[in-house]
Structure formats: C-alpha cells, structure tokens
Amino acid sequence: MTDRRRINGPSEGTTPPVFASAVVTKPTPTRAPDSLRKIFLKTSLTPPATGSAFLELPSPAPYPNSSTLKITASVYGPRPLPSSAAFSPHARLTAELKFAPFSTPHKRRGYVRDAVERDLSVQLQNALVKSIKTGAYPKSGIDVFITVLDCEGGLDGDDDEGVEVGLMGVLAGAITCASAAVADAGIECVDLVSGGVAALVKRPQNSDAMDTDGMNAPMLVLDPSPADGYQILSAAVVGYMAGREEVTLLWTKGSVGILDGEEDELDLLMDGAIMTATAVRLVLNEAVKERMLLGLARSKGKLKEDGGGDVAMSS
C-alpha cells in the first residue's frame, strides 16, 4: 500500500548528476612578506557588557571576496563572587572563545564548545591574566567572552602542503580584541596585550635567494593569511606586552631547526611575531585612546549640563 502522507523515493537507485567544476588554481602571493594587513578595531559596541570591542582583518588584496577575520569581545566585571565561594585575594579571570556556527566557510560548527575552542580559551586566558592587576579586585570575577563571527578557514589542522595558520590568526586577533575590551571596561592593567603571528614559508621559485645546497631558503612572513597561498613550514603566535617588553604567550607549529648552522628558526619566528605584535599595538593604542577621549568629552558635556565650572563633581 502506498503511503499518502509522504513522498516516497524511487524504488531503484539513481545516479546523481555530476557537474564539471572549474579548475582551482593556487593563489599567488602579492603582498610583501614584511607588510601587515590593515586592522579595524572599535570599542564600546555591546551596551550590556562592561567593556566590548570588535576587530576585523580584511582578506588579502587580490581576493576581496574571500573570508575575513571578524571577532567580537565582551567583558563582564569585576563583579563579586557568590557568597559560597572561597575567599581569593586575586580576581578570577575566565576566558571563553566560541566560533559562531556560520563562521567557518567549509563546515557548520556546533553550538557546544569542542576541544579546539576549549584549548584556545585556555591560551587566551593565560595571555590576558598576566596583564591584569588581579590583586586590585579580591574575591571578584572577570569574565571575557570571545565570539568569532568569521574566520579565514583552514581550522582543521595541518594539511599535506604545510602548516595551517588559521587558528593562530584567530588566537592573535582574540588576544588583541580582548585586551581592548578589558581596557574599555576600565579594569586596571599593567599593560595592554597584542597578538602577532609570523611564519617561515617556502620561498617562491622565482626568488633569487638560494642557500648553499641550492634549495630554496625559508622566508619569514609577517601576518600570514591562508589566502596568501604560501607553503608554510613553521609558524608562531605570541601575546606581547610592548610597554614591558614581556611575552605572555608563545605557541609554535611545525618543525624548527637551525638556519645556516648559526641562526635558530625559533628565535627568528619569535622576533617576527613580536614585530607583528608591536605593529598591532599601535592600532590598539589608538582604539583605547579614542575611547578615552570620547569618555572625557562626554563627562565634560555632563558637567556643563549640570552647571559645573572648572571645579565640579558629578554625582
């Protein structure tokens, strides 16, 4: 008997149509190895949060329609811990990083945090906790929430052509965005933390620099992107406090060794990542400065409205 309540499939198997796809060519890098992409960083975009920030990194110039990096950060606190919690002389910082279900271009992510998101959350917390004066907020909690709205793809790990740097770019952007949100919340910090990524890539065949064995020598690239098309041999991401010249986080991927028998690849990667983080710090400083000037302008306007003069105090 035929079931009239549903549309049944064919009784015999069918062959799905196969369409000829266009030939996908590997992108050719056009950006200089030592040039960084422009960063858009804005604070105070989430009204319910104590502090918030939004960071966006555009795709490389030859591929304007490819995926970009968009991250939002929200900070809540310092707020008192529950009365049942044990006394702590320092504030408890918790960081949570979550990918939006629509953030990755290749597959849809789940609503429950997976192992990758938990690992990134721990590294983000370690990068931020050293910059916050936790001793100024006893028995308090500071919660940092990071949401990745769009990422540049390649988050499933290493592939056959080299090391994938998608997760490293997400972590570096999350560190910078979270530090801006913490500053926007008015939380006392010893310094701001900026994230930077650097990679050693296989030098293109048309390059003139060759090593003694006739093989292509590795090339240092700052702020690498999966859309650049490099074959990445090793990469590193750092969380860096430029004012104190301290590294709060270091994460490396790939195999590192000795270049020319003298120079260590790890030192070269760290120096490149620190250079990137130092340049990102300039954007972070401008975003925090803009927020501070806006707050001062609003406070002066409020004092004038209340009838205050040169010496006045608002309630």
Side-chain angles (χ1 to χ4, degrees):
M1 179 180 292
T2 303
D3 189 357
R4 301 179 179 275
R5 292 174 299 179
R6 67 187 67 184
I7 300 176
N8 297 323
S11 58
E12 299 180 357
T14 59
T15 302
V18 178
F19 302 94
S21 60
V23 179
V24 180
T25 59
K26 190 174 182 180
T28 302
T30 58
R31 184 163 54 101
D34 57 347
S35 64
L36 307 181
R37 290 174 290 174
K38 295 182 179 180
I39 302 175
F40 176 82
L41 182 60
K42 187 72 175 179
T43 59
S44 301
L45 295 181
T46 307
T50 310
S52 60
F54 172 77
L55 181 141
E56 180 177 359
L57 272 176
S59 59
Y63 315 100
N65 297 326
S66 59
S67 299
T68 60
L69 181 62
K70 298 178 182 178
I71 299 176
T72 62
S74 301
V75 176
Y76 297 88
R79 51 189 178 187
L81 295 176
S83 57
S84 58
F87 176 79
S88 175
H90 300 276
R92 297 181 181 178
L93 176 68
T94 58
E96 178 178 328
L97 187 146
K98 185 72 179 70
F99 288 94
F102 50 84
S103 60
T104 52
H106 302 297
K107 68 176 183 178
R108 189 174 180 86
R109 303 191 70 91
Y111 292 95
V112 181
R113 286 198 304 164
D114 54 14
V116 173
E117 294 169 337
R118 290 193 294 269
D119 181 46
L120 292 179
S121 300
V122 173
Q123 297 195 55
L124 175 63
Q125 179 177 340
N126 294 335
L128 294 177
V129 70
K130 298 180 182 179
S131 66
I132 299 176
K133 290 184 178 181
T134 56
Y137 309 100
K139 201 178 180 182
S140 301
I142 302 174
D143 301 324
V144 180
F145 297 96
I146 300 293
T147 303
V148 182
L149 301 178
D150 192 3
C151 58
E152 298 174 311
L155 302 183
D156 298 330
D158 299 348
D159 53 16
D160 297 336
E161 297 183 356
V163 176
E164 184 57 62
V165 295
L167 285 177
M168 289 187 164
V170 170
L171 180 58
I175 292 173
T176 305
C177 191
S179 183
V182 169
D184 182 53
I187 299 175
E188 295 186 23
C189 301
V190 297
D191 198 359
L192 298 175
V193 187
S194 57
V197 187
L200 285 175
V201 303
K202 186 176 181 181
R203 194 178 294 271
Q205 296 295 332
N206 55 0
S207 178
D208 297 332
M210 306 290 289
D211 59 9
T212 56
D213 297 333
M215 302 294 291
N216 288 336
M219 180 175 60
L220 181 66
V221 176
L222 306 183
D223 189 23
S225 172
D228 287 332
Y230 288 112
Q231 183 177 349
I232 300 177
L233 305 177
S234 57
V237 57
V238 298
Y240 186 64
M241 294 190 296
R244 300 170 65 94
E245 297 184 353
E246 294 182 8
V247 176
T248 61
L249 176 71
L250 173 61
W251 177 25
T252 61
K253 293 179 68 176
S255 59
V256 293
I258 305 297
L259 294 176
D260 299 331
E262 298 179 356
E263 191 174 10
D264 192 355
E265 288 186 0
L266 181 59
D267 294 339
L268 184 61
L269 283 174
M270 285 191 61
D271 293 341
I274 289 175
M275 290 174 57
T276 306
T278 304
V280 173
R281 174 62 184 270
L282 301 177
V283 181
L284 182 58
N285 290 343
E286 290 297 326
V288 175
K289 179 181 178 181
E290 180 183 357
R291 176 64 180 89
M292 182 184 63
L293 295 178
L294 180 60
L296 291 176
R298 290 178 178 177
S299 62
K300 290 182 179 180
K302 183 178 180 181
L303 292 177
K304 290 181 180 179
E305 292 177 359
D306 293 341
D310 294 336
V311 180
M313 181 178 295
S314 59
S315 57

